[in-house]
Structure formats: C-alpha cells, structure tokens
C-alpha cells in the first residue's frame, strides 16, 4: 500500500480489496472448517468400526462351538473384509476345525493367506496351512505351500516346517537338510533351536551335529612324544 495515501484513501482501498477478494477468503475458511469437520467424522467412524470389529473378534475368541464362531467370522468378512481382526478370527476358526474338520481348516487358512493385507499374518497362515496339509497326508501340497521367493525373517520357520513335512513323509535326508538350513537361515533366532536340534537327533541314522557350532581351536603345541619302547630282555649270559 502506498505510504503517501491518506487514511481515508487507505480505507477505501481496503474496502475495494475486500469487495474483490472477501468472498474467496470466506470460502477458504469455510472449506477448511468443512474439511476439518469431515476428517473428524471419518476418524470417529473409523474408530467405531475398529471397535466393532474388535468386539466381534472377541466373540469368536470366546466361542466354544466352531459353527457359532464361523457364523460370526462370515459376518466379519462381509462387514470388515480388510480388518486385521477378521484375519485373526479366521486363524482362530481354523484352529478349532483342525481335528474335527481338517478340510475346512484348510479352506479357512487358504482364505486368510490369500486375502489378508497383513504380510506377517499371511505368512503365519501359510505355515499353519502347510502343517494341516501334512496332517492330511497331502505332503506335496504342503511342500508347495512352503515355497516362498522372499520369506525374509520367516525363512527359518519355513525350513523347520519343511523338515517336519519331509520327516512325516519319510524323506529323512531331505528333513535333515531342511532342519540344518533352518538353523542358519534368516530369522533362525526366532526358532527354538534346542527343539530343532532334538528333531535332528530323532531322525533315523543317529544324532546330527549341532548346526553352525564352533570348531574347537587347533592345538598350540605338539602332542607329547610317545614313551620309548621298553628295551628287549637280555638273553641268558648277555649283559651280565
């Protein structure tokens, strides 16, 4: 604004600017308030949905009857298809069905593996699915399920389960190889190494050495010389 203008001229310029730009300013403030209101409404709606999904998950967790639990699960899949609670509920229902209906447990675990947005839950479902397939003596399908290009920190657990499947199928050397790979793979620190070693020891053919165990240090000095052999006994009349 020109400093040479009088106060009245400055007021007139401000009025002119307001007539030209005032509605834009008001509109911007209104849009900002509307956006804030919409965000708050969305957050409240999201939190409500999260709590509702959590309550249904707890219902599945507390259920004693797999039929009733599955009914709630199907509702969760319809209403909350992307919720981690829904995937976890699927794992719970599959666990209920392993003994009584292993084929249905297979279906539930496959669904979780293929539909969950959580990569770790998908891997957990994959491991459990392989075990259920082996329980059903579908060993080839179980081994196919365990083939993952980039397992990351689950590499150790995948190899351990692969060893279990191969051992159940009677492939002793393949089982041994899988267990040994499990002990040195990424994520091996997540394993119960003593338990894996026990599985190795229980394989036919005797105990296997502990994987990646340090070698004893080389001796730093020569071993002591053997004592000299005893001199032969003197013949009669000699050496007297």
């Amino acid at each position: 604004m020109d400093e040479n203008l009088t106060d009245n001229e400055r007021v007139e310029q401000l009025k002119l600017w307001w007539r030209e730009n005032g509605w834009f300013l008001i509109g911007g403030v209104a849009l900002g308030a509307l956006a804030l209101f919409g965000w708050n409404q969305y957050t409240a709606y999201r939190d409500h949905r999260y709590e509702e999904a959590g309550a249904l998950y707890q219902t599945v967790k507390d259920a004693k009857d797999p039929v009733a639990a599955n009914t709630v699960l199907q509702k969760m899949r319809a209403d909350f298809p992307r919720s981690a609670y829904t995937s976890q509920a699927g794992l719970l229902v599959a666990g209920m069905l392993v003994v009584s209906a292993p084929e249905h447990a297979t279906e539930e675990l496959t669904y979780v593996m293929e539909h969950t947005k959580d990569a770790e839950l998908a891997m957990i479902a994959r491991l459990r699915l392989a075990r259920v397939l082996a329980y059903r003596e579908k060993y080839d399908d179980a081994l196919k399920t365990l083939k993952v290009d980039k397992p990351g920190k689950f590499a150790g657990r995948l190899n351990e389960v692969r060893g279990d499947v191969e051992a159940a199928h009677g492939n002793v050397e393949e089982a041994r190889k899988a267990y040994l790979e499990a002990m040195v793979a990424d994520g091996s620190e997540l394993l119960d190494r003593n338990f894996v070693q026990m599985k190795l020891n229980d394989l036919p053919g005797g105990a296997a050495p502990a994987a990646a165990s340090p070698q004893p240090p080389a001796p730093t000095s020569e071993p002591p010389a053997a004592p000299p052999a005893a001199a032969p006994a003197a013949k009669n009349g000699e050496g007297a």
Side-chain angles (χ1 to χ4, degrees):
M1 186 174 291
D2 191 346
E3 295 182 356
N4 296 322
L5 295 177
T6 65
D7 290 343
N8 289 336
E9 289 173 332
R10 290 175 181 172
V11 169
E12 289 300 322
Q13 281 196 349
L14 286 173
K15 289 180 178 179
L16 177 62
W17 181 89
W18 180 257
R19 284 195 297 268
E20 294 176 351
N21 302 286
W23 289 110
F24 295 104
L25 180 62
I26 293 173
V29 172
L31 285 175
L34 183 61
L36 180 61
F37 174 78
W39 173 254
N40 289 336
Q41 289 294 104
Y42 167 76
T43 301
Y45 171 76
R46 183 190 60 191
D47 291 346
H48 174 72
R49 297 272 294 175
Y50 183 83
E51 292 173 0
E52 187 176 354
L56 290 173
Y57 168 77
Q58 190 63 43
T59 300
V60 174
K61 187 176 180 180
D62 295 339
K64 306 300 181 184
D65 178 14
V67 176
N70 188 59
T71 299
V72 179
L73 173 61
Q74 298 311 315
K75 174 176 174 56
M76 293 181 71
R77 285 179 175 165
D79 297 344
F80 311 101
R82 297 188 175 185
S83 173
Y85 278 124
T86 301
S87 299
Q88 293 176 23
L91 296 179
L92 287 176
V93 171
M96 297 178 185
L97 297 171
V98 168
V99 176
S100 61
E103 66 282 1
H104 291 158
T106 300
E107 294 172 2
E108 294 297 341
L109 291 169
T110 301
Y111 187 96
V112 173
M113 183 181 70
E114 294 178 350
H115 290 82
T116 185
K117 304 300 180 182
D118 188 314
E120 291 195 2
L121 280 177
M123 193 65 75
I124 291 171
R126 181 181 296 274
L127 291 167
R128 295 184 183 181
L129 175 60
R131 291 191 182 278
V132 174
L133 288 169
Y135 173 75
R136 298 176 60 193
E137 299 184 354
K138 293 181 176 292
Y139 303 112
D140 290 340
D141 291 341
L143 293 173
K144 289 178 182 177
T145 300
L146 294 170
K147 290 182 178 180
V148 180
D149 290 336
K150 297 180 180 179
K153 66 181 181 180
F154 282 89
R157 296 175 67 181
L158 284 166
N159 278 302
E160 181 187 5
V161 176
R162 181 162 63 88
D164 294 343
V165 175
E166 295 285 15
H169 199 196
N171 298 328
V172 176
E173 291 309 315
E174 290 298 323
R176 193 187 313 279
K177 178 182 177 183
Y179 288 141
L180 289 172
E181 289 178 357
M183 299 277 269
V184 297
D186 289 344
S188 60
E189 68 278 4
L190 302 175
L191 302 177
D192 184 340
R193 297 177 68 86
N194 291 332
F195 188 45
V196 177
Q197 185 64 48
M198 184 180 70
K199 294 178 184 180
L200 271 167
N201 296 343
D202 287 343
L203 290 174
S213 59
Q215 297 296 322
T220 57
S221 60
E222 293 294 328
K235 296 181 180 179
N236 292 337
E238 295 182 0

